[in-house]
Amino acid sequence: MSNQTTIDRLRVLLAALDPSTDLTGDEAALLGRLATHFVVPATDNMWLALAVLHAEFPTHDQVVDGIRRIRLDGAASVLKQVAHSPVRRGLFGLHPVRPVRVVTGATFVDVHHTARTGLATGIQRVVRKTIEQWSQSHDLLLVGWGSAFGALRELSEQERANALYGTHPNAESEGVAEVTVPWRSTYILPELAVEAERTARISALAEFSGNASYVIGFDCVPLTSAETTGLGMGGAFAKNLAAVARFDKVATISGAAALEYRGWRRMLAGAGLTGPEIEPVLLPADAGTVTAAELESAKESLVMDELPLLLCVGSHEPRKNHLAVLSAAELLWREGHEFCLSFVGGNSWGGQAFTTQLEQMQERGRPVQTISAISDALLWGGYRAAACTAFPSLNEGFGLPVAESLAVGTPVVTSDFGSMKEICEQGGAVLVDPRDDAALAAGIALAMFDPEVNQRLRDEAARRENKDWNDYATEVWEYFHKSS
């Protein structure tokens, strides 16, 4: 790090701590002025100093160590050591020296994964719909992380477009990105962060930086249904919760998710922690849009042999319980019911048993298929083309396919507990025990093949009061920003 770069960063730090201060003079003069802000070393000032002088957000231990060193050796000496210490080594050697800026009074929205992925999972859909609404009414600083998850940076134009609309999957940052440090600002995490380096630095930001910190809470499935999650997810999710424990507020996507998060928060008392405020803000039931041509195209893709369509939306991970759907369908086919079954959703970990069973049923001539390339037109056309949908998940933070199917007026067969039951309180669904294949088959038969029941469910779905994404985004924003 050159001497000029050191002086520049000292000035950036001093200007953030005291905007009216004199920024002239040499390094010694700047260190002397900075030292006055650390006479009684505060954790927020220490966090900021490390973030600016290292161009990298500190971890918990680094902040605590900095405070201890200042108490022993004095602020000027420690700040000089920090300013001249080498940058962290990454996987490919020393990180390049990056410019740093401090931003005050802004709303930082961390969408690192959503900005770069081509996935359109439930979480990505929630993130994109929410920040799209926020961006129309509020000034947002959409940010992600560097390759080593050392610090926040503003998104490139392609990343921003992908975060908002999913139009540029695998987007990359442009060149050596400027480190962007929030100070007396708001930090919002609307997606799930599980990368160890990222969560370690988010945790310290929430605990020490003095910024307001808010997060959308999707579920605690890796804790409550650990047997249904992939190897390693439990540990990664635990690191996420360790960071969330330091946040100010969590807006869960359902009452069921709030129940899980509040149970976790009660456990924090054993570590002497209070944890965040937790309130449910239910996701909307969006009806989407589809043209007549798109509807016909969806029917061509999803309906086989002009049979009534049973639609199942979601990835094929074990928690979604798609093996039970296959078993229930086989029971119904053997009883003589005529229908076709289409799964719409991507493959995922643990889906091999589903794929094997599906292929065996296809070899026996059963009208069943899976389609992984999902477009909005196919999704919303499929909901409208279906006689009913099935979503017998074993645990969901919300269950978007349940809400979406009901929003377009198509009956649902879903689980009789948790968020799925919560979504169906206004009617339109048959609730079943998802662990009982015979009960699931009976529920599908009732919703799909009994004309009176099917019509009653459709009438109930049509009378539902559904909020839209603007309603949801507004509720979350207002909850985050209201005084506790």
Side-chain angles (χ1 to χ4, degrees):
M1 183 185 296
S2 70
N3 188 56
Q4 183 61 47
T5 302
T6 300
I7 290 179
D8 285 343
R9 291 187 180 176
L10 290 172
R11 286 172 176 155
V12 169
L13 175 59
L14 189 55
L17 291 171
D18 183 3
S20 65
T21 195
D22 179 9
L23 299 180
T24 61
D26 59 12
E27 180 178 315
L30 295 171
L31 285 169
R33 293 182 203 126
L34 280 169
T36 63
H37 295 278
F38 294 84
V39 174
V40 178
T43 54
D44 57 347
N45 286 1
M46 190 72 246
W47 181 90
L48 180 68
L50 291 168
V52 171
L53 297 180
H54 276 170
E56 181 174 87
F57 290 7
T59 62
H60 173 278
D61 289 348
Q62 289 170 333
V63 174
V64 172
D65 179 65
I67 294 288
R68 288 170 176 163
R69 288 167 57 199
I70 285 177
R71 285 174 176 153
L72 292 172
D73 301 327
S77 173
V78 172
L79 291 173
K80 182 176 181 178
Q81 292 173 23
V82 170
H84 287 279
S85 61
V87 293
R88 179 169 63 110
R89 282 189 176 272
L91 295 175
F92 306 103
L94 288 175
H95 294 310
V97 176
R98 295 160 292 181
V100 181
R101 65 168 173 154
V102 176
V103 180
T104 303
T107 298
F108 286 66
V109 183
D110 181 355
V111 287
H112 176 84
H113 182 64
T114 305
R116 297 162 61 87
T117 186
L119 295 175
T121 66
I123 289 179
Q124 265 71 62
R125 290 174 63 198
V126 171
V127 173
R128 288 184 174 124
K129 291 290 189 179
T130 303
I131 65 174
E132 180 184 0
Q133 295 296 327
W134 284 350
S135 67
Q136 294 173 15
S137 305
H138 309 283
D139 290 330
L140 306 179
L141 192 59
L142 299 184
V143 293
W145 294 76
S147 58
F149 296 103
L152 290 173
R153 56 176 179 77
E154 192 166 0
L155 298 182
S156 68
E157 285 302 314
Q158 284 197 346
E159 288 175 316
R160 183 180 176 88
N162 198 59
L164 286 166
Y165 312 113
T167 53
H168 292 77
N170 305 312
E172 297 289 344
S173 60
E174 299 169 351
V176 178
E178 179 181 59
V179 171
T180 307
V181 182
W183 182 238
R184 296 167 184 164
S185 288
T186 296
Y187 170 80
I188 300 177
L189 179 62
E191 64 180 20
L192 180 64
V194 293
E195 302 88 353
E197 285 287 347
R198 182 183 179 192
T199 53
R201 294 170 201 283
I202 290 173
S203 179
L205 184 157
E207 183 176 7
F208 294 128
S209 72
N211 293 290
S213 53
Y214 310 129
V215 61
I216 292 178
F218 291 92
D219 58 58
C220 290
V221 166
L223 295 183
T224 56
S225 301
E227 74 282 3
T228 69
T229 61
L231 186 65
M233 185 59 188
F237 187 71
K239 296 293 186 183
N240 170 270
L241 287 182
V244 173
R246 273 76 181 179
F247 274 62
D248 297 310
K249 293 181 180 181
V250 179
T252 63
I253 59 175
S254 67
L259 187 67
E260 291 185 338
Y261 272 91
R262 286 168 178 163
W264 156 75
R265 184 180 60 187
R266 284 194 293 272
M267 293 191 294
L268 294 177
L273 299 174
T274 302
E277 178 184 313
I278 299 168
E279 287 294 333
V281 181
L282 271 63
L283 291 180
D286 185 14
T289 57
V290 63
T291 66
E294 289 170 337
L295 177 58
E296 288 305 312
S297 177
K299 289 179 179 179
E300 291 177 4
S301 297
L302 298 172
V303 176
M304 291 167 275
D305 301 326
E306 298 184 353
L307 293 168
L309 171 63
L310 173 63
L311 182 69
C312 186
V313 176
S315 60
H316 306 312
E317 61 184 279
R319 176 169 56 89
K320 302 298 183 180
N321 208 22
H322 288 178
L323 279 174
V325 177
L326 290 177
S327 176
E330 182 64 26
L331 288 172
L332 293 172
W333 280 318
R334 292 187 181 189
E335 290 176 1
H337 293 290
E338 296 184 349
F339 66 100
C340 62
L341 170 58
S342 289
F343 293 86
V344 175
N347 295 321
S348 65
W349 84 273
Q352 186 56 49
F354 166 82
T355 301
T356 300
Q357 182 65 29
L358 179 97
E359 291 173 349
Q360 291 173 353
M361 294 173 74
Q362 288 174 328
E363 290 172 0
R364 296 199 299 270
R366 296 304 192 193
V368 57
Q369 65 175 337
T370 181
I371 299 175
S372 59
I374 306 175
S375 66
D376 284 348
L378 180 66
L379 180 67
W380 295 115
Y383 282 132
R384 288 171 169 83
C388 81
T389 64
F391 192 81
S393 178
L394 301 176
N395 193 352
E396 289 293 323
F398 186 74
L400 274 174
V402 176
E404 291 169 343
S405 183
L406 292 174
V408 304
T410 299
V412 179
V413 180
T414 191
S415 305
D416 62 352
F417 53 75
S419 65
M420 293 153 287
K421 182 178 181 180
E422 184 181 349
I423 294 167
C424 299
E425 288 178 349
Q426 296 184 59
V430 174
L431 302 178
V432 300
D433 179 356
R435 296 178 175 87
D436 184 338
D437 293 356
L440 176 57
I444 293 171
L446 187 64
M448 195 167 184
F449 304 121
D450 186 318
E452 291 185 3
V453 173
N454 185 272
Q455 189 58 54
R456 174 176 60 79
L457 296 175
R458 288 180 179 276
D459 291 342
E460 290 174 356
R463 291 194 296 268
R464 289 172 57 89
E465 295 181 3
N466 299 318
K467 65 181 181 183
D468 60 22
W469 282 105
N470 181 61
D471 296 329
Y472 172 74
T474 299
E475 287 180 38
V476 175
W477 185 273
E478 290 178 350
Y479 167 60
F480 282 161
H481 291 86
K482 75 177 180 180
S483 300
S484 300

